[in-house]
Every structure is written in C-alpha cells, then in structure tokens.
Amino acid sequence: GDSVTQTEGQVALSEEDFLTIHCNYSASGYPALFWYVQYPGEGPQFLFRASRDKEKGSSRGFEATYDKGTTSFHLRKASVQESDSAVYYCALGSLSGSFNKLTFGAGTRLAVCP
Amino acid sequence: GGIITQTPKFLIGQEGQKLTLKCQQNFNHDTMYWYRQDSGKGLRLIYYSITENDLQKGDLSEGYDASREKKSSFSLTVTSAQKNEMAVFLCASSIPTVSNERLFFGHGTKLSVL
C-alpha cells in the first residue's frame, strides 16, 4: 500500500537557520503530494501541494519540489522564525472512486529558538 | 470561508465506556473524515463518509462506529474505551471530485481514558 516516510521526528533550530525536512513516498501511479502544518492546539492546515514531476509547491516561505525519480518531496525554508515552530506532515493523496485518500507521514516536530 | 467545529474539546472516559465525538462543518462539503492522531504515528483514517447516510471504513475502524445523518455533521463513537488510551481525534472535510483537493480539519477532541 501507499506510505510516506519522514526521516526526522524532531528538528531543533535557531532563528534564521535553514530548514530541511525529508519526505519520501511509496505509491503506485502518480499521487498528489502535500505538506500540512499543525500549530499547538489546532488541527493540521494545508500548506501547499504538487501534482506532477518537477512541480514546486510553496507557501509562507516554505517550498518543496515533486521528484518522481527519487520519490521525494522535501520541505525547505531558507530562514526559519520562532513562529514556524509546529508539527509538519507530509502526505500523499490519491482519488479512490469519489474519495480523497490521504496517507500521512508520522510528522516532524520543529522547534525554533530565538 | 467555513469552519469545522468539534465537540467536546476534551473527553475523559472510563474503561469500557461508550463515548461519542461530534463534528459540524459549514463548508457544504460532501465528504467528511475522522482521523486518529497518536504521537509519532501521524494521522490514521478511522471512517469517512462521501455523502449523507454513507459510511466507509478506513484503516483503523475496529472499535469505532460512525454516523452521518446530515450533510453538515459526522459523529464518531468509541464503542468501548480502552484503559490508559490517549489520543486526539480529528474531523475533516473536503470536496471529493478533485484528486488533489485539500482537507480542512477541526481542532480536535483529546481523549483520555482512566
């Protein structure tokens, strides 16, 4: 079945550091890829998505490029802020009949110190 | 814009108790979902519903029932709470017709079983 692997369970950075969170997927076909972010006390919220090879998704300074060759969708940000502290989920989506099936990774907790 | 409201925010139960979680959405979305969130395991799908009175089992449906009596509401029942169980249950909704459409989540119900 489909699966998503996030390598880092936790990441600790200082403000203005460069961020990379690794995401690799395994799926048949051509899934859509997503990043969601979850702030404390809230539900996950959509960050951005990409649907085809080499497509770059981006939002709020975060970006990721769909790479079918390496089956990856790594999240990057050039300069993190304390307000970016949250849990980040990589997910893949596929349409099954009329149902959007999202398969999530385990999540990566980002802590940014001022 | 719309909102997903989950009630209650916190739920404390006793072992063996039947517990019901409620979810309301005003997006007018057809599809609704219940996910379970455990630390280090990401989000796992319990039940989903593609329209009023429809119910479909997800990957983690054992021990749960669901009900979708109206388009705007979707409830989840823990049929017999397990001792020391602790998890967050997230409700979500989406438009089902596009394969890469995003999910909108509520803030969650945090369950603790004594």
Side-chain angles (χ1 to χ4, degrees):
Chain A
D2 297 345
S3 66
V4 176
T5 302
Q6 292 181 235
T7 310
E8 299 90 357
Q10 297 185 78
V11 174
L13 296 173
S14 300
E15 280 195 324
E16 299 183 14
D17 280 352
F18 188 92
L19 168 71
T20 301
I21 297 177
H22 294 94
C23 172
N24 289 89
Y25 70 92
S26 172
S28 56
Y30 219 130
L33 299 174
F34 299 79
W35 278 101
Y36 280 76
V37 57
Q38 185 176 24
Y39 298 103
E42 299 182 7
Q45 53 184 271
F46 172 85
L47 195 54
F48 57 81
R49 64 173 169 252
S51 312
R52 57 187 184 274
D53 194 24
K54 303 297 184 254
E55 179 181 356
K56 180 190 283 188
S58 63
S59 176
R60 309 182 210 176
F62 292 90
E63 63 179 40
T65 300
Y66 193 133
D67 190 329
K68 198 170 192 307
T70 59
T71 60
S72 65
F73 193 54
H74 305 318
L75 181 69
R76 305 184 199 277
K77 186 175 186 184
S79 177
V80 294
Q81 302 301 311
E82 190 177 3
S83 58
D84 294 326
S85 298
V87 179
Y88 293 82
Y89 289 98
C90 183
L92 68 83
S94 55
L95 192 64
S96 175
S98 57
F99 163 56
N100 272 319
K101 180 173 172 63
L102 269 194
T103 301
F104 287 86
T108 298
R109 183 175 299 275
L110 171 65
V112 180
C113 300
Chain B
I3 191 169
I4 294 184
T5 302
Q6 292 186 237
T7 54
K9 274 192 156 179
F10 301 95
L11 184 56
I12 300 175
Q14 303 286 335
E15 183 182 12
Q17 193 176 2
K18 179 187 283 191
L19 302 166
T20 298
L21 293 68
K22 295 186 183 297
C23 176
Q24 294 266 352
Q25 55 102 355
N26 63 0
F27 287 101
N28 200 35
H29 286 164
D30 289 309
T31 307
M32 296 186 74
Y33 311 77
W34 277 106
Y35 281 88
R36 177 179 164 128
Q37 181 176 40
D38 294 277
S39 179
K41 294 185 179 178
L43 280 65
R44 292 178 289 174
L45 182 65
I46 305 172
Y47 265 97
Y48 65 99
S49 167
I50 61 175
T51 189
E52 186 178 323
N53 292 320
D54 174 75
L55 291 174
Q56 305 288 338
K57 293 183 177 181
D59 302 321
L60 205 67
S61 61
E62 189 170 334
Y64 302 95
D65 287 328
S67 173
R68 182 98 183 268
E69 294 176 353
K70 292 191 302 185
K71 184 176 181 178
S72 62
S73 66
F74 192 29
S75 63
L76 179 73
T77 297
V78 179
T79 55
S80 179
Q82 301 298 305
K83 187 174 176 64
N84 296 324
E85 181 175 8
M86 189 178 296
V88 175
F89 293 85
L90 293 164
C91 177
S93 70
S94 75
I95 304 169
T97 55
V98 179
S99 64
N100 57 4
E101 186 52 69
R102 66 193 206 191
L103 267 60
F104 294 83
F105 284 89
H107 285 194
T109 293
K110 186 169 185 176
L111 170 67
S112 298
V113 181
L114 304 177

